[in-house]
Coordinates of all heavy atoms in Angstrom, one line a residue:
H1 N 36.5 -33.4 -3.1 CA 37.5 -32.6 -2.3 C 37.1 -32.6 -0.8 O 37.7 -31.8 -0.1 CB 37.6 -31.2 -2.8 CG 38.3 -31.2 -4.2 ND1 37.7 -31.5 -5.4 CD2 39.6 -31.0 -4.5 CE1 38.5 -31.4 -6.4 NE2 39.7 -31.1 -5.9
A2 N 36.2 -33.4 -0.4 CA 35.8 -33.5 1.0 C 35.4 -32.2 1.6 O 35.7 -31.9 2.8 CB 36.9 -34.2 1.9
M3 N 34.7 -31.4 0.8 CA 34.2 -30.1 1.3 C 32.7 -30.2 1.7 O 31.9 -30.7 0.9 CB 34.2 -29.1 0.2 CG 35.6 -28.4 0.0 SD 35.4 -27.1 -1.2 CE 35.3 -27.9 -2.7
P4 N 32.3 -29.7 2.9 CA 30.9 -29.7 3.2 C 30.2 -28.7 2.2 O 30.8 -27.6 1.9 CB 30.8 -29.2 4.6 CG 32.2 -28.7 4.9 CD 33.2 -29.3 3.9
V5 N 29.0 -28.9 1.9 CA 28.2 -28.1 1.0 C 27.1 -27.5 1.8 O 26.3 -28.2 2.5 CB 27.6 -28.9 -0.2 CG1 26.7 -28.0 -1.1 CG2 28.7 -29.5 -1.0
T6 N 26.9 -26.2 1.7 CA 25.8 -25.5 2.3 C 25.0 -24.7 1.2 O 25.7 -24.0 0.4 CB 26.2 -24.5 3.4 OG1 27.1 -25.2 4.3 CG2 25.0 -23.9 4.1
E7 N 23.7 -24.9 1.2 CA 22.9 -24.2 0.2 C 22.1 -23.1 0.8 O 21.6 -23.2 2.0 CB 21.9 -25.2 -0.4 CG 22.5 -26.4 -1.0 CD 21.4 -27.4 -1.5 OE1 20.9 -27.2 -2.6 OE2 21.2 -28.4 -0.7
Y8 N 22.0 -22.0 0.1 CA 21.3 -20.8 0.6 C 20.3 -20.3 -0.5 O 20.7 -20.4 -1.7 CB 22.2 -19.6 0.9 CG 23.2 -20.0 2.0 CD1 24.5 -20.4 1.8 CD2 22.8 -19.9 3.3 CE1 25.4 -20.7 2.8 CE2 23.7 -20.2 4.4 CZ 24.9 -20.6 4.1 OH 25.8 -20.9 5.1
N9 N 19.2 -19.9 -0.1 CA 18.3 -19.3 -1.1 C 18.6 -17.9 -1.3 O 19.3 -17.2 -0.5 CB 16.8 -19.6 -0.8 CG 16.3 -18.8 0.4 OD1 16.6 -17.6 0.6 ND2 15.6 -19.5 1.3
P10 N 18.2 -17.3 -2.5 CA 18.6 -15.9 -2.8 C 18.2 -14.9 -1.7 O 18.9 -13.9 -1.4 CB 17.9 -15.6 -4.1 CG 17.8 -17.0 -4.7 CD 17.5 -17.9 -3.6
T11 N 17.1 -15.1 -1.1 CA 16.6 -14.2 -0.1 C 17.5 -14.2 1.1 O 17.8 -13.1 1.7 CB 15.2 -14.5 0.4 OG1 14.3 -14.6 -0.8 CG2 14.6 -13.5 1.4
Q12 N 18.0 -15.4 1.5 CA 19.0 -15.5 2.7 C 20.2 -14.7 2.3 O 20.8 -14.0 3.2 CB 19.3 -16.9 2.9 CG 18.3 -17.8 3.6 CD 18.7 -19.2 3.7 OE1 18.9 -19.9 2.7 NE2 18.9 -19.7 5.0
V13 N 20.7 -14.9 1.1 CA 22.0 -14.2 0.7 C 21.8 -12.7 0.7 O 22.6 -12.0 1.3 CB 22.4 -14.7 -0.7 CG1 23.7 -14.0 -1.1 CG2 22.7 -16.2 -0.7
K14 N 20.7 -12.3 0.1 CA 20.5 -10.8 0.1 C 20.3 -10.2 1.5 O 20.8 -9.1 1.7 CB 19.2 -10.5 -0.8 CG 19.4 -10.8 -2.2 CD 18.1 -10.6 -3.0 CE 18.3 -10.9 -4.5 NZ 17.1 -10.8 -5.2
M15 N 19.7 -11.0 2.4 CA 19.5 -10.5 3.7 C 20.9 -10.4 4.4 O 21.1 -9.5 5.1 CB 18.5 -11.4 4.5 CG 18.3 -11.0 5.9 SD 17.4 -9.4 6.0 CE 15.7 -10.0 6.0
A16 N 21.7 -11.4 4.2 CA 23.0 -11.5 4.9 C 23.9 -10.3 4.4 O 24.7 -9.8 5.1 CB 23.7 -12.8 4.6
I17 N 23.8 -10.0 3.1 CA 24.7 -9.0 2.5 C 24.1 -7.5 2.7 O 24.9 -6.6 3.0 CB 24.9 -9.3 1.0 CG1 25.5 -10.7 0.8 CG2 25.7 -8.2 0.3 CD1 26.8 -10.9 1.5
T18 N 22.8 -7.3 2.4 CA 22.3 -6.0 2.4 C 21.4 -5.7 3.6 O 21.0 -4.5 3.8 CB 21.5 -5.7 1.1 OG1 20.3 -6.5 1.1 CG2 22.3 -6.0 -0.1
G19 N 20.9 -6.7 4.3 CA 19.9 -6.5 5.4 C 18.5 -6.5 4.8 O 17.6 -6.3 5.6
Y20 N 18.4 -6.7 3.5 CA 17.0 -6.7 2.9 C 16.9 -7.8 1.9 O 17.7 -7.9 0.9 CB 16.8 -5.3 2.2 CG 15.5 -5.2 1.5 CD1 14.3 -5.3 2.1 CD2 15.5 -4.9 0.1 CE1 13.1 -5.1 1.5 CE2 14.3 -4.7 -0.6 CZ 13.1 -4.9 0.1 OH 11.9 -4.7 -0.5
G21 N 16.0 -8.7 2.2 CA 15.8 -9.9 1.4 C 15.4 -9.8 -0.1 O 15.5 -10.7 -0.9
R22 N 15.0 -8.6 -0.4 CA 14.5 -8.3 -1.8 C 15.4 -7.3 -2.5 O 15.0 -6.6 -3.5 CB 13.1 -7.9 -1.8 CG 12.1 -8.9 -1.3 CD 10.7 -8.5 -1.6 NE 9.7 -9.4 -1.0 CZ 9.3 -10.6 -1.6 NH1 9.8 -10.9 -2.8 NH2 8.4 -11.3 -1.1
A23 N 16.6 -7.2 -2.0 CA 17.6 -6.2 -2.6 C 17.8 -6.6 -4.1 O 17.7 -7.7 -4.5 CB 18.9 -6.3 -1.9
E24 N 18.1 -5.6 -4.9 CA 18.5 -5.7 -6.3 C 19.9 -6.3 -6.4 O 20.7 -6.0 -5.5 CB 18.3 -4.4 -7.0 CG 16.9 -3.8 -7.0 CD 15.9 -4.6 -7.8 OE1 16.3 -5.2 -8.9 OE2 14.8 -4.7 -7.4
K25 N 20.2 -6.9 -7.6 CA 21.5 -7.4 -7.8 C 22.6 -6.4 -7.7 O 23.7 -6.6 -7.1 CB 21.6 -8.1 -9.2 CG 20.9 -9.5 -9.2 CD 21.3 -10.2 -10.5 CE 20.8 -11.6 -10.5 NZ 21.7 -12.5 -9.7
Q26 N 22.3 -5.2 -8.1 CA 23.3 -4.1 -8.1 C 23.6 -3.7 -6.6 O 24.8 -3.4 -6.3 CB 22.8 -2.9 -8.9 CG 23.9 -1.8 -9.0 CD 25.2 -2.2 -9.7 OE1 25.2 -3.0 -10.6 NE2 26.3 -1.7 -9.2
Q27 N 22.6 -3.7 -5.8 CA 22.8 -3.4 -4.4 C 23.7 -4.5 -3.7 O 24.6 -4.2 -2.9 CB 21.5 -3.4 -3.6 CG 20.6 -2.2 -4.0 CD 19.2 -2.3 -3.4 OE1 18.5 -3.2 -3.7 NE2 18.9 -1.3 -2.6
V28 N 23.4 -5.8 -4.1 CA 24.2 -6.8 -3.5 C 25.7 -6.7 -4.0 O 26.6 -6.8 -3.2 CB 23.7 -8.2 -4.0 CG1 24.6 -9.4 -3.6 CG2 22.3 -8.5 -3.4
K29 N 25.9 -6.4 -5.2 CA 27.2 -6.2 -5.8 C 28.0 -5.0 -5.1 O 29.1 -5.2 -4.7 CB 27.1 -5.9 -7.3 CG 28.5 -5.8 -8.0 CD 28.2 -5.6 -9.5 CE 29.5 -5.4 -10.2 NZ 29.3 -5.3 -11.7

C-alpha cells in the first residue's frame, strides 16, 4: 500500500504516551 513503516520500541511508546518509559500497560491505556 506504499506506506512508510516506522518501528518503535515499547519504552519509546510509553515515554511518548505517559512521559515515563516504564509505565504499566494500564497507565498507557
Side-chain angles (χ1 to χ4, degrees):
H1 289 82
M3 280 188 282
V5 176
T6 308
E7 300 175 83
Y8 298 98
N9 67 46
T11 305
Q12 285 176 297
V13 175
K14 290 175 182 179
M15 183 64 92
I17 301 301
T18 68
Y20 178 59
R22 297 192 184 274
E24 298 294 324
K25 283 191 172 281
Q26 186 59 36
Q27 291 172 299
V28 172
K29 184 176 177 179

